[in-house]
Amino acid sequence: MRVGVLGTGAMARALGGGWARAGHEVLVGGRDAERTAALAVSTGTRPGTLAEAARFGEATLLALPHDAVLPVLGTVGAAGSFDGRILIDCTNAVGPGPVLTTGDGPGAARTLAAATGARVVKAFNHLTPAVWSRTPPVFADGPVAVPLCGDDEEALALVSTLAADLGCAPFVAGPLAHADLLEAATAFLIGLWTSGRDPRAMLPPPAALGG
């Protein structure tokens, strides 16, 4: 598969590098050509511009801060130019607290889809680059599960393949509207992790929940 990656930070390194190791052709794009080239050399990916990465291959990962996504897409494409494009949204619109900066409105992924016309899949936002950098992301209980939210079956299948190729266990968690729930859950988990609490203590084995 050919995959574009917008951004040159930790998520671009972890996910883009993982897909390159799995045999996919990955092009990373950033504002700083020198930094982009260095990332490409260290991860086995190809360097390019933001505009090239935005349209490279079958899908593009948005490995940017949430607030930068729409401005960057606006600089590399005219209105409607991302209609039908598969965009993988791994961003989190989370501010101090932590609280969602999207407030009571639509979540980050739904806002992105409405603004671009793209086939957006929310994925990889619920864990840190340190987890995605593991080769593979497998722990004592098994591979990390990756919830995917989206409205397009082809896009969900493509992102499922990318998740499986990292060694993860993808599953469709619902339509793109459910991305709002995933984003809120991630903000809640961030609050627990940063306060030193283990979220797993809240979740007994499914068999213990009864019928």
Side-chain angles (χ1 to χ4, degrees), residues 5 9-17 61 63-64 90 123-125 127-129 132:
V5 175
M11 286 294 277
R13 175 178 296 278
L15 293 171
L61 172 73
L64 298 166
C90 67
F124 305 110
N125 68 300
L127 293 172
T128 67
W132 305 127

Side-chain angles (χ1 to χ4, degrees), residues 126-127 131-132 134 136-139 141-147 163 167-171:
H126 72 299
L127 293 172
V131 174
W132 305 127
R134 295 176 68 98
V138 175
F139 298 87
D141 296 330
V144 166
V146 182
C168 300
F171 69 96

Side-chain angles (χ1 to χ4, degrees), residues 28 51 80 84 137 139 146 155 164 181 191-192 198 211:
V28 294
F139 298 87
V146 182
L181 303 176
L192 293 178
D198 186 348

Side-chain angles (χ1 to χ4, degrees), residues 22-165:
H24 298 296
E25 183 181 355
V26 180
L27 185 146
V28 294
R31 288 191 180 93
D32 186 313
E34 185 175 337
R35 178 173 178 174
T36 303
L39 175 64
V41 168
S42 64
T43 56
T45 58
R46 290 175 48 191
T49 65
L50 289 169
E52 290 169 336
R55 292 180 176 79
F56 182 79
E58 289 86 352
T60 295
L61 172 73
L62 305 175
L64 298 166
H66 165 70
D67 291 343
V69 170
L70 285 177
V72 167
L73 291 178
T75 64
V76 300
S81 61
F82 293 101
D83 281 352
R85 177 76 182 162
I86 297 176
L87 298 179
I88 306 167
D89 178 20
C90 67
T91 70
N92 282 305
V94 177
V99 297
L100 291 173
T101 59
T102 48
D104 295 330
R110 286 204 293 153
T111 299
L112 173 65
T116 62
R119 293 182 286 168
V120 175
V121 176
K122 190 77 182 189
F124 305 110
N125 68 300
H126 72 299
L127 293 172
T128 67
V131 174
W132 305 127
S133 295
R134 295 176 68 98
T135 52
V138 175
F139 298 87
D141 296 330
V144 166
V146 182
L148 315 176
C149 297
D151 294 332
D152 184 271
E153 290 187 6
E154 181 184 7
L156 288 166
L158 182 148
V159 181
S160 293
T161 296
L162 290 174
D165 287 347

